[in-house]
Amino acid sequence: MTDLRIQIGNIEFKNPIFTASGTFGYGNDVPDFVDVSKLGGIFTKSITLHPREGNPPPRIVETPSGMINSIGLANVGVDHYMREMVPSYSTIGTKIIMNIAGSTLDEYAEIIRKMESISSDIVGYEINISCPNVKKGGMEFGVDRSLTAELTKILRSLTERLLIVKLSPNVTDIAAIATAAEECGADAVSAINTVVGMSINPTTWKSNIYTVFGGLSGPALKPIGLAAVQKIFHSVKIPIIGIGGITGSLDVIEYFLAGASAVQLGTVNFQDPSTGERMIDELETYCKDVSIDSISSLVGKVKN
Ligand code: DHB
């Protein structure tokens, strides 16, 4: 039997297949044909201090090998989330990581203070410092080393749960931002969030997205994600969660070889939300075929 278990901080996950924020709702409302208990964990959509309607439509457009979205962090807000969603996690059968977003340092901190004031089964927080679609906050933090450091330090002081910083690819030096997160107490980083993109209708001459720009995701991102993970791997010791364009189990292997210790599936969930659970058997078979006992032994083993 291949060992698919992985460890982040003091938490063990049954396998390294997670769902990416924004592609699996709050984890409690998935179709019947999906067995979430097979997954290593679920990263919720971004939750903010106050409820948000998000951006006006059109806010999603398909592109070659991917899609662009500009949802604008539409979500129910932390109070509703605590009341209506969190209780269901006690029986969900997989681990939940809550993704949080804010427009000020205080907003991020207030969300964590609220969450830490109740008992819950959430195992950690993923900090979205990389949303490209809001005027304030979001990517503003993720492109700035000192803001990333300050935010991570504040949030670290508020929780002993996992703190995972989600990095933006829209930067000159992603490894420097990852290092700042590590130095200030992050347990892991996830990389990458979406790449700023645009799509234009040549008939109307208008952008296909109301906010003009959006976040590009899907298979087009895999080479960018792999390069980011490899760069970060050479700079930090904490685990890296690889994200970007994964559609099959061999993509997962590539991310491991580049330096990821786990992965998140995003855009593929819109095609088929059961992709993740199907990959688990395939990963076991791959590991058996190449005679390795533990998937973790692949981490960073690309031959350069
Ligand atoms: C949104 C947030 C993101 O972090 C992202 O990468 C793309 C879109 C959003 O809510 O608009």
Side-chain angles (χ1 to χ4, degrees), residues 276-288:
E277 60 180 273
R278 279 187 288 101
M279 271 182 196
I280 290 153
D281 293 342
E282 291 171 23
L283 287 175
E284 279 196 350
T285 307
Y286 176 91
C287 291
K288 251 182 243 141

Side-chain angles (χ1 to χ4, degrees), residues 64-76:
S65 301
M67 59 178 260
I68 294 176
N69 87 83
S70 176
I71 303 300
L73 301 175
N75 79 101
V76 295

Side-chain angles (χ1 to χ4, degrees), residues 32-46:
D32 285 346
F33 66 89
V34 181
D35 181 1
V36 295
S37 74
K38 292 254 177 70
L39 295 169
I42 293 173
F43 284 66
T44 71
K45 72 190 297 181
S46 287

Side-chain angles (χ1 to χ4, degrees), residues 48 50-55 72-77 103 133-134:
T48 52
H50 303 294
R52 289 175 61 95
E53 291 280 334
N55 292 329
L73 301 175
N75 79 101
V76 295
S103 40
N133 300 327
V134 287

